[in-house]
C-alpha cells in the first residue's frame, strides 16, 4: 500500500454530551505507523475519542490533525481514517465481496473496478474463496476479517478499531489479535484500537494510552506503562502490581518482584489470605499492617519447595530498587 505514515495528533480535544464531559481536553501525538491501544474502564471516554477521530461524533472543543491538517470538521469519508465497528455492522443481504466493495459503490466507482479492489482486499485477509457467501454463512472470525477488508478498502492512513475482538470467544480472540498485529505490520499504517482489556493492550500495542475519567492518565510503550506506572490507577488497572502505602508515600511493586520469607524476615510481615495455583505460577495474597493486601506471584517450583497455606504468618521480601513511587 502507498503509505506516507502521517501523524495523528489530538490537541486539547473535548467531548461534551449535555452536562456530561466524556473527554476532557486530551492531547496526544500518536506514533505514525504504530499500533496504539486506548485502554481504560467502561465509560472513561475511549469510544467518544475514537468516534471523534473517525468523524462520527462532533468535537466539542479542540482539534484533530492528520499529517498537520485539521480534519476535525471533515466528513468521515474525507479524513483518511476508516473505522471497524465492534459488531462488524455487515449488511446481511450483501455478499462478502459486495460488503467489502460497499464504500466504493457509494463513492461512485464502476463495478469492475470495485470488484477488482474488493478481490485484492479479500486476498489480503485470506478470504478469497468465500467472496460469494452471505455474512451469516461465516464464522465470527471470518466476519471480522470481512469487516477489516471493508474498512481497509478505502486505503486509510489510520484504521480505528472499536473493541474489535469483544464479540469473539477467548480462543479466537487470541488468534485474531495475532492476525490484527500481523496485518498492521504488513500495511504499515497507524491502528488505534479501543479496548478495556489490559492483556489485549499489552499483547498488541506499540503504544498504550491509558484513559480514566475522561483524561489520559499515562501514555507510553507497553513496557513503559507496565514497568513504570505513574499513578495508582494505572498500576491497578494494568494489573500485575501491588499498590502499597508506606510511611514515605504510595508505591507500586510488581507482584513477581515480591517473595515469601520466613516470619520475622523480609521487608514486612503478613498473614496469608489466599493461595491460587495458576499453572506456571502460584498467586499468594497476604494481609499486612494497615489492612493492606499484598500479592506475590511465585514460580510454581519455588512455591512447592516451601508450600504455605492461608493463615500462615510470613515475611514479604523485595528489593527496594523495585519499588516505584507513584505521583497520585
Ligand atoms: P468508553 O468507550 O470508555 O466506555 P464512552 O466514550 O462510550 O466511554 O463514554 C464516555 C461517557 O460519555 C460516559 O459517561 C457515557 O455514558 C457518556 N456518553 C457516551 N455516549 C453518549 C451519548 N451519545 N449521549 C450521552 N452520553 C454519552
Amino acid at each position: 500500500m502507498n503509505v506516507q505514515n502521517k501523524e495523528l495528533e489530538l490537541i486539547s480535544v473535548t467531548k461534551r454530551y449535555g452536562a456530561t464531559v466524556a473527554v476532557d481536553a486530551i492531547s496526544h501525538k500518536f506514533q505514525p505507523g504504530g499500533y496504539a491501544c486506548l485502554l481504560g474502564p467502561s465509560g472513561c471516554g475511549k469510544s467518544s475519542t475514537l468516534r471523534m477521530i473517525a468523524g462520527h461524533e462532533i468535537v466539542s472543543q479542540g482539534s484533530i490533525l492528520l499529517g498537520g491538517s485539521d480534519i476535525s470538521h471533515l466528513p468521515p469519508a474525507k479524513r483518511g481514517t476508516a473505522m471497524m465497528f465492534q459488531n462488524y455492522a455487515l449488511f446481511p443481504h450483501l455478499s462478502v465481496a459486495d460488503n467489502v466493495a460497499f464504500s466504493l459503490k457509494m463513492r461512485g466507482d464502476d463495478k469492475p473496478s470495485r470488484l477488482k479492489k474488493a478481490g485484492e482486499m479479500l486476498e489480503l485477509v485470506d478470504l478469497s474463496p468465500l467472496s460469494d457467501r452471505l455474512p451469516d454463512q461465516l464464522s465470527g472470525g471470518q466476519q471480522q476479517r470481512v469487516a477489516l477488508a471493508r474498512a481497509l478498502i478505502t486505503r486509510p492512513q489510520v484504521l480505528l478499531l472499536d473493541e474489535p475482538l469483544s464479540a469473539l470467544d477467548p480462543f479466537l480472540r487470541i488468534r485474531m489479535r495475532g492476525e490484527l498485529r500481523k496485518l498492521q505490520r504488513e500495511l504499515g499504517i497507524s491502528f488505534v484500537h479501543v479496548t478495556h482489556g489490559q492483556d489485549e493492550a499489552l499483547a498488541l500495542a506499540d503504544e498504550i494510552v491509558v484513559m480514566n475519567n475522561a483524561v489520559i492518565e499515562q501514555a507510553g510503550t507497553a513496557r513503559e506503562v507496565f514497568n513504570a506506572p505513574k499513578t495508582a490507577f494505572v498500576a491497578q488497572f494494568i494489573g500485575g502490581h501491588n499498590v502499597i502505602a508506606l510511611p514515605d508515600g504510595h508505591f507500586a511493586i510488581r507482584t513477581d518482584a515480591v517473595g515469601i520469607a520466613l516470619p520475622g524476615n523480609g521487608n514486612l510481615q503478613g498473614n496469608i489470605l489466599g493461595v491460587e495455583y495458576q499453572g506456571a505460577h502460584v498467586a499468594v495474597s497476604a494481609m499486612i499492617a494497615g489492612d493492606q493486601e499484598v500479592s506475590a506471584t511465585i514460580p510454581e517450583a519455588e512455591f512447592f519447595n516451601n508450600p504455605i497455606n492461608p493463615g500462615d504468618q510470613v515475611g514479604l521480601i523485595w528489593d527496594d530498587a523495585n519499588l516505584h513511587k507513584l505521583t497520585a
Side-chain angles (χ1 to χ4, degrees):
M1 279 199 174
N2 175 19
V3 181
Q4 295 133 35
N5 277 338
K6 289 189 180 168
E7 181 181 72
L8 174 67
E9 181 175 6
L10 309 178
I11 303 176
S12 201
V13 171
T14 293
K15 179 69 201 176
R16 287 188 212 94
Y17 303 98
T20 307
V21 181
V23 179
D24 192 1
I26 63 171
S27 294
H28 186 69
K29 284 184 184 181
F30 291 91
Q31 184 191 315
Y35 202 123
C37 282
L38 291 183
L39 172 69
S42 177
C44 72
K46 309 178 295 293
S47 294
S48 298
T49 302
L50 202 73
R51 294 201 303 266
M52 285 191 285
I53 299 170
H56 297 303
E57 203 72 78
I58 292 168
V59 174
S60 306
Q61 239 169 330
S63 310
I64 298 169
L65 307 189
L66 185 59
S69 339
D70 192 338
I71 59 166
S72 324
H73 305 289
L74 296 178
K78 298 258 189 272
R79 292 190 170 206
T81 60
M83 178 103 156
M84 192 185 120
F85 295 93
Q86 187 170 33
N87 56 8
Y88 314 142
L90 300 178
F91 298 113
H93 57 289
L94 293 184
S95 71
V96 163
D98 286 338
N99 260 289
V100 172
F102 187 76
S103 62
L104 303 185
K105 187 172 181 183
M106 290 292 98
R107 200 165 77 179
D109 291 15
D110 63 39
K111 191 163 185 181
S113 129
R114 294 199 304 261
L115 289 180
K116 179 169 173 289
K117 284 184 189 152
E120 288 166 12
M121 283 301 138
L122 287 171
E123 202 162 310
L124 181 73
V125 297
D126 280 332
L127 279 184
S128 305
L130 306 185
S131 64
D132 294 328
R133 290 216 190 153
L134 292 174
D136 69 1
Q137 296 168 321
L138 301 176
S139 71
Q142 290 164 341
Q143 288 181 25
Q144 195 210 33
R145 284 193 260 150
V146 177
L148 263 177
R150 192 177 59 172
L152 291 170
I153 201 163
T154 59
R155 311 253 161 180
Q157 262 125 29
V158 180
L159 181 68
L160 306 166
L161 306 106
D162 193 359
E163 301 265 4
L165 303 171
S166 63
L168 304 174
D169 65 55
F171 180 75
L172 202 54
R173 198 178 300 155
I174 288 172
R175 216 185 78 199
M176 288 308 298
R177 85 179 179 207
E179 290 194 19
L180 279 180
R181 182 69 239 214
K182 182 164 161 267
L183 192 63
Q184 188 272 335
R185 284 209 174 96
E186 280 168 16
L187 295 170
I189 63 172
S190 308
F191 277 30
V192 181
H193 171 137
V194 160
T195 178
H196 58 265
Q198 75 281 13
D199 290 352
E200 196 167 301
L202 289 172
L204 279 168
D206 294 313
E207 175 182 37
I208 297 183
V209 178
V210 185
M211 290 185 70
N212 185 31
N213 287 332
V215 298
I216 295 175
E217 285 260 332
Q218 186 171 355
T221 65
R223 285 196 75 194
E224 273 163 15
V225 173
F226 187 73
N227 282 308
K230 282 190 182 145
T231 64
F233 171 81
V234 174
Q236 269 147 358
F237 195 77
I238 206 85
H241 288 267
N242 292 293
V243 174
I244 311 178
L246 296 172
D248 47 344
H250 282 81
F251 292 84
I253 186 163
R254 283 170 53 159
T255 59
D256 59 357
V258 177
I260 304 293
L262 292 172
N265 295 296
N267 303 56
L268 286 174
Q269 302 305 302
N271 188 308
I272 298 296
L273 291 173
V275 172
E276 196 175 273
Y277 182 62
Q278 296 181 338
H281 296 96
V282 180
V284 176
S285 60
M287 189 67 92
I288 60 170
D291 256 2
Q292 301 191 72
E293 202 176 316
V294 172
S295 299
T297 311
I298 312 290
E300 188 207 27
E302 188 182 319
F303 177 89
F304 285 103
N305 280 340
N306 274 306
I308 47 174
N309 295 296
D312 290 353
Q313 291 294 324
V314 296
L316 295 163
I317 187 164
W318 61 75
D319 180 345
D320 279 342
N322 292 324
L323 281 177
H324 186 81
K325 190 149 177 86
L326 300 169
T327 58

